[in-house]
Amino acid sequence: MAYIVSWEGKEYTVEVARQGPRYVVTFEGTPTEADLRRVGQRLYSLLLGPESYEVDILAEGSRLSLTVRGEAYQVEVADERERRLRRVASKAEGRPGRQEISAPMPGKVVAVLVSVGEEVKAGQGVVVVEAMKMENELKATAGGRVTEVRAVAGKAVNGGEVLVVIE
């Protein structure tokens, strides 16, 4: 799976592939064997090639606060597929008409923020989906009235599944 990692104003492509019990992480074209194990609530042990790291991770949506060897880092991680979906959604932003807010990838509905008949504004959150241990708030691309709510808190969803319809 490919990810776009943003750090200090630059974007990097990172691919992660499972290889037996470990992973191969390809960073900017260079593959490295990796192993990540949770050792505490936010603490992980990371083996990256021959190097060992203790990593504290605090996830807030797509933003990660990392502490590695006493150094703090702020990064944003986007699934390449999700990013493509967001680009398409941003092109439609502000356009009147029917909006179908869909899950960008398989996950679980954490919260439904709207109900049928409710008026929403462009950019307003309508549903929160957890995918890959990160919560993503899905937002209306334009204002309108909620006509359908198909999402149910606690239920699993497939990528592309319509969760909320706004007209």
Side-chain angles (χ1 to χ4, degrees):
M1 181 170 279
Y3 299 92
I4 306 299
V5 178
S6 301
W7 177 57
E8 293 188 341
K10 294 182 182 174
E11 290 186 346
Y12 303 91
T13 301
V14 178
E15 292 182 37
V16 180
R18 190 170 200 76
Q19 193 173 47
R22 293 187 168 204
Y23 296 89
V24 173
V25 176
T26 303
F27 178 76
E28 294 296 298
T30 304
T32 304
E33 192 172 284
D35 187 32
L36 182 69
R37 307 280 172 147
R38 185 180 215 153
V39 295
Q41 185 175 358
R42 292 180 12 194
L43 193 61
Y44 293 81
S45 172
L46 172 64
L47 296 175
L48 195 56
E51 298 291 321
S52 175
Y53 303 91
E54 187 175 87
V55 183
D56 180 78
I57 302 173
L58 176 61
E60 296 173 19
S62 62
R63 290 188 173 95
L64 300 177
S65 296
L66 308 171
T67 304
V68 183
R69 294 185 174 164
E71 294 287 326
Y73 301 92
Q74 302 294 318
V75 300
E76 187 153 345
V77 179
D79 176 300
E80 191 174 54
R81 290 177 298 174
E82 177 185 345
R83 187 177 175 138
R84 274 185 272 147
L85 287 171
R86 286 188 181 175
R87 279 190 190 140
V88 169
S90 69
K91 288 179 184 176
E93 192 168 324
R95 290 185 193 162
R98 181 179 172 96
Q99 299 173 63
E100 292 184 343
I101 310 300
S102 303
M105 65 184 80
K108 180 175 136 185
V109 175
V110 175
V112 178
L113 307 175
V114 295
S115 56
V116 172
E118 186 175 337
E119 287 287 331
V120 295
K121 297 177 182 172
Q124 180 178 335
V126 295
V127 66
V128 179
V129 176
E130 179 183 291
M132 298 172 46
K133 298 183 183 180
M134 297 191 316
E135 290 186 3
N136 298 293
E137 183 178 71
L138 306 180
K139 299 177 181 187
T141 57
R145 181 179 303 278
V146 177
T147 58
E148 291 181 55
V149 176
R150 301 179 190 172
V152 177
K155 296 286 184 174
V157 293
N158 295 314
E161 185 175 332
V162 176
L163 305 176
V164 176
V165 177
I166 302 167
E167 292 189 24

